[in-house]
Structure formats: C-alpha cells, structure tokens
C-alpha cells in the first residue's frame, strides 16, 4: 500500500530556516516523481516543485524558484522541502504528493499535510 | 502557465440530486486532466485522471468527461459524504496548475 507520511506541524519565527519531510513507503521510491503542493488558508492548491529521485531531476514552479529547495534521500525513501528564511506569507499547509507513472504524471497519492505557521 | 477556471464557485444541492461541475483550461490539455475531492481537515483525494478514468475505489456515481479545454465532473446521485470542495488540475504542462475549486454545500 502506497503511503506518504509527513512530518508534524511547525511554528517558526520569521527569518528562521525549516526543513519538512515526507517518508514514502509501499512502492519503488526511485522511479516515481514526488512533488510538494501548497495550500494557504481558505485558498486553492499550488504545485511548488517536483523531483525524480532516481536522478534528482528537479522542476521548480517559477513562482517558488529561489525560495524553496526540494530534495530526496534515497536511502530512507524520504523527500524534503526546505526554506532558508521563512516569511509570514509562507504560513500554509504543505502536502507531498506522488506522481503517477508515465510521461506526464498526475498526483495519485497525497500525504496528510504539514501545517507551517510563521509567526513572531 | 495554463490557467484553470472552475464554475460555479459554490453549488447548493440536496442529497440525491445529480450535479455537474465545469472546468475550463486556457489551452488544450487533450485529456491530461484530473479531478480531486477535498473534505475539511483532509488532504485532497484523486477521483479522476485522464479526464474520465476513475481512480481506485472511487464509486461509479462519479464520472468525468471532456477533452481539449472543456471538462466536466458529474455526480449522479449526491450522497451526504460528497459534500466537499472539488478541484480540477491539468498535468499536460509544468507547472501543474489547479482550478480554484467548486464547493458543494447542502441546500
């Protein structure tokens, strides 16, 4: 059974760094894209970045490039999203999602979400 | 970036009714279109991919249709557990983009 288990909620002060995680299980981690999706309070869904673990090929949404870094650890089948300096506007729910097989993957499995609150 | 437009934003319906939700893309997707359901406090769940293929364990009352730029999601007989927000998403191009959602609320 495919499962994406995300790290717990975070309360962070502005300017601090943060790395959230997504532990994947139940499938061959290396050969499926994995992505991060942001959902701000009462707002829609935005795809931030996507990575192919086998070769670490990465795609960033231009709206997020430079502000976040996506990475994976193949040895622990874990994906990460990190910020070097958070702002209040980064407060949101963040979901990791698995991309389906095929040349144009869609998001077939979702993690439970990690709530990030940036506040002084 | 492909812009996805969903209508209506909110739909007031009664259990047992048939509902149709619309999604329009700013350029042709062929059939690279997915639908998701999100209930309060939960992650979105995949309902439909390829514009019309139901995901695993999705009831047959959910159906998708369309191609190119116009798509619909239909629920044949609304159940109480179907009151939620529904999002369409294109996966033809990067970045993947979502519509703003249609909320089904109890009439």
């Amino acid at each position: 059974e495919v499962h994406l288990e995300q790290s717990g909620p975070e309360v962070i002060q502005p300017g601090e760094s943060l790395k959230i995680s997504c532990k994947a299980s139940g499938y061959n981690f290396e050969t499926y894209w994995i992505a991060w999706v942001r959902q701000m309070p009462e707002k829609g869904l935005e795809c931030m970045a996507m990575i192919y673990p086998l070769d670490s090929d990465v795609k960033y949404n231009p709206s997020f490039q430079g502000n976040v870094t996506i990475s994976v650890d193949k040895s622990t089948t874990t994906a990460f999203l990190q910020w070097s300096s958070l702002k209040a506007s980064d407060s949101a729910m963040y979901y990791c999602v698995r991309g389906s097989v095929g040349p144009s993957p869609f998001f077939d499995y979702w993690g439970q979400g990690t709530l990030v609150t940036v506040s002084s | 970036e492909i812009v996805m437009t969903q209508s209506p934003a909110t739909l007031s319906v009664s259990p047992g009714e048939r509902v149709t939700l619309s999604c329009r893309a700013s350029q042709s997707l062929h059939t690279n279109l997915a639908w998701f359901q999100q209930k309060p406090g939960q992650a979105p769940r995949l309902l439909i991919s390829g514009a019309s293929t139901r995901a695993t364990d999705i009831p047959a009352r959910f159906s998708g249709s369309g191609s190119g730029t116009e798509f619909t999601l239909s629920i044949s007989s609304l159940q109480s557990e179907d009151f939620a927000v529904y999002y369409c998403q294109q996966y033809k191009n990067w970045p993947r983009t979502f519509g703003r959602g249609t909320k089904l609320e109890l009439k």
Side-chain angles (χ1 to χ4, degrees):
Chain A
E1 180 191 359
V2 175
H3 188 67
L4 301 172
E5 184 67 28
Q6 296 186 226
S7 49
E10 303 275 1
V11 180
I12 300 290
Q13 293 197 340
E16 291 188 340
S17 63
L18 177 66
K19 192 173 188 177
I20 61 176
S21 66
C22 170
K23 166 73 174 174
S25 60
Y27 70 98
N28 185 349
F29 178 73
E30 293 189 7
T31 57
Y32 287 78
W33 289 87
I34 195 158
W36 288 93
V37 173
R38 182 176 80 173
Q39 186 168 38
M40 299 179 73
E42 304 302 320
K43 298 288 187 181
L45 301 158
E46 303 168 279
C47 189
M48 305 170 70
M50 192 159 70
I51 188 168
Y52 193 68
L54 183 64
D55 59 7
S56 291
D57 186 18
V58 173
K59 300 177 187 290
Y60 285 102
N61 183 329
S63 297
F64 294 92
Q65 182 138 27
N67 294 315
V68 295
T69 302
I70 189 172
S71 61
V72 295
D73 180 341
K74 289 186 287 187
S75 68
T76 60
T77 65
T78 302
F80 302 96
L81 184 69
Q82 66 182 88
W83 297 259
S84 59
S85 180
L86 281 156
K87 305 181 288 289
S89 57
D90 293 315
S91 295
M93 181 71 82
Y94 293 87
Y95 294 102
C96 70
V97 295
R98 192 189 79 160
S100 63
V101 292
S104 194
F106 55 89
F107 299 152
D108 56 0
Y109 289 91
W110 294 62
Q112 83 277 20
T114 295
L115 182 64
V116 174
T117 304
V118 184
S119 175
S120 54
Chain B
E1 177 174 304
I2 296 177
V3 176
M4 306 299 294
T5 304
Q6 290 187 245
S7 61
T10 305
L11 197 54
S12 298
V13 293
S14 300
E17 284 188 24
R18 177 182 177 86
V19 298
T20 299
L21 284 58
S22 295
C23 175
R24 175 179 294 175
S26 61
Q27 59 183 265
S28 177
L29 306 180
H30 303 294
T31 55
N32 293 308
L33 189 281
W35 289 95
F36 298 89
Q37 176 194 65
Q38 187 177 32
K39 297 180 181 179
Q42 295 184 18
R45 176 176 71 146
L46 176 68
L47 296 177
I48 301 280
S49 64
S52 62
T53 302
R54 278 191 305 278
T56 304
D57 295 332
I58 300 303
R61 63 180 182 272
F62 291 92
S63 63
S65 64
S67 65
T69 62
E70 301 283 342
F71 301 88
T72 60
L73 174 70
S74 297
I75 310 173
S76 61
S77 178
L78 205 66
Q79 305 295 302
S80 57
E81 62 265 31
D82 300 335
F83 289 95
V85 180
Y86 292 84
Y87 295 96
C88 62
Q89 183 218 16
Q90 65 81 18
Y91 55 94
K92 181 176 183 293
N93 287 357
W94 180 261
R96 304 291 191 253
T97 47
F98 295 84
R100 294 300 302 270
T102 292
K103 182 178 181 180
L104 294 187
E105 63 176 27
L106 188 61
K107 184 185 288 184

